Amino acid sequence: MADHGLRITRALARRFDGRSEASLHPDLRVFVSDLVRPYGLPLREDLLREGVGHSYEELAADLLREALAEDEPVDLLILAFDTPDVRPGAPSSLALSRSCPGTPLAFAVCDQGVAAAFTALRLAVDYHRTGSCRRAVVVLAEQTALHHEPAAPVSLPERHGVVVLVCEEAPGPDMAIHQIPGAGLSDAVVRDRATGLGPDPALVLGPGLAGADCPAAQPFTGAWAELAEQLPAWRAQGRPVLVADLDRRLGVLSTLTLP
């Protein structure tokens, strides 16, 4: 409906230790070897030998069941991540859809750094506008292990982390997601968007922005975990919310505005 938009209504976050049995599966070595061979990058033999890392399906399934009641069918599930999963041969997004009520369309977004979370939310809004989606779930996940030497320095999380964002149809406008190329625009754009929200907006700045109050130990999920923790209080106070992050590798600034 034109007078109803999609927005984040609930959010849950968890951090985890431990490992998944999938981290010792021989298919992981085969996949990573094929992935890095054209680039001449060495494997992390120590991580492959020890079995380090966690499956996103295992990390997120219980949190999804906690976030959603049985009478809340989901129309769309999007898994977004930066660090690769340790089950490369299994579509974790499809597996996670079985942990949701309903039979949601499910797919994953990756290879966009921290911008992937915002892309997933933008796609959820676009799908809602087709009239086929009243409830969408965006799952953000990161695990600690990269099983090859990176071509350039990367930030890896200290712990496994998952955030579940439940997005539902509600009266009023859609949440607004903007993704802008050009790192030099970051400070000005964030200030302008915050000013336009009113006198006391709630700001969540990811680690890609200078002065960000976000746990750098969780580079992909940290800002969203902060949102999950603070959102109920901000809703009670009637404060609009701005989430922003800059992916310096891609040179893309992403912002989310919750009215």
Side-chain angles (χ1 to χ4, degrees):
M1 298 175 62
D3 58 346
H4 282 64
L6 193 73
R7 65 190 69 175
I8 298 170
T9 58
R10 283 167 281 164
L12 294 176
R14 294 285 187 279
R15 294 177 186 172
F16 301 87
D17 297 310
R19 50 172 291 280
S20 169
E21 288 300 316
S23 64
L24 283 171
H25 198 287
D27 284 351
L28 179 60
R29 174 184 289 276
V30 173
F31 176 83
V32 179
S33 297
D34 290 345
L35 181 71
V36 302
R37 187 176 297 112
Y39 308 100
L41 299 174
L43 299 178
R44 285 291 306 270
E45 295 288 353
D46 54 337
L47 302 184
L48 290 166
R49 183 171 55 253
E50 295 166 13
V52 178
H54 222 300
S55 157
Y56 289 148
E57 177 189 354
E58 294 176 21
L59 288 175
D62 287 344
L63 198 59
L64 273 172
R65 296 186 187 101
E66 182 179 340
L68 296 159
E70 287 297 324
D71 60 351
E72 294 180 314
V74 174
D75 301 302
L76 174 68
L77 182 144
I78 306 176
L79 169 65
F81 58 91
D82 185 18
T83 312
D85 201 345
V86 298
R87 293 188 63 196
S92 292
S93 56
L94 297 180
L96 285 172
S97 70
R98 295 194 290 268
S99 298
C100 293
T103 55
L105 172 69
F107 59 90
V109 176
C110 60
D111 297 327
Q112 295 189 11
V114 297
F118 297 87
T119 298
L121 289 167
R122 180 168 53 83
L123 291 171
V125 169
D126 288 344
Y127 191 60
H128 170 259
R129 289 172 179 164
T130 69
S132 302
C133 177
R134 298 187 64 182
R135 182 177 292 108
V137 175
V138 173
V139 178
L140 312 177
E142 60 185 341
Q143 58 93 16
T144 61
L146 185 64
H147 292 85
H148 63 83
E149 294 290 350
V154 297
S155 297
L156 293 173
E158 291 184 359
R159 299 179 67 191
H160 315 306
V162 174
V163 178
V164 171
L165 305 174
V166 180
C167 307
E168 297 176 294
E169 187 177 77
D174 287 315
M175 55 186 168
I177 301 101
H178 297 278
Q179 294 182 287
I180 308 161
L185 298 174
S186 59
D187 292 341
V189 171
V190 172
R191 282 198 303 271
D192 287 347
R193 295 201 185 283
T195 300
L197 292 177
D200 188 29
L203 300 179
V204 181
L205 302 181
L209 292 168
D213 184 18
C214 175
Q218 304 297 137
F220 187 74
T221 63
W224 301 98
E226 180 183 349
L227 175 69
E229 179 181 354
Q230 300 292 340
L231 186 60
W234 290 337
R235 289 290 192 209
Q237 296 163 5
R239 297 174 67 186
V241 179
L242 175 67
V243 184
D245 206 351
L246 174 66
D247 191 283
R248 296 186 181 276
R249 287 177 295 173
L250 299 180
V252 174
L253 172 71
S254 301
T255 65
L256 162 70
T257 304
L258 295 175

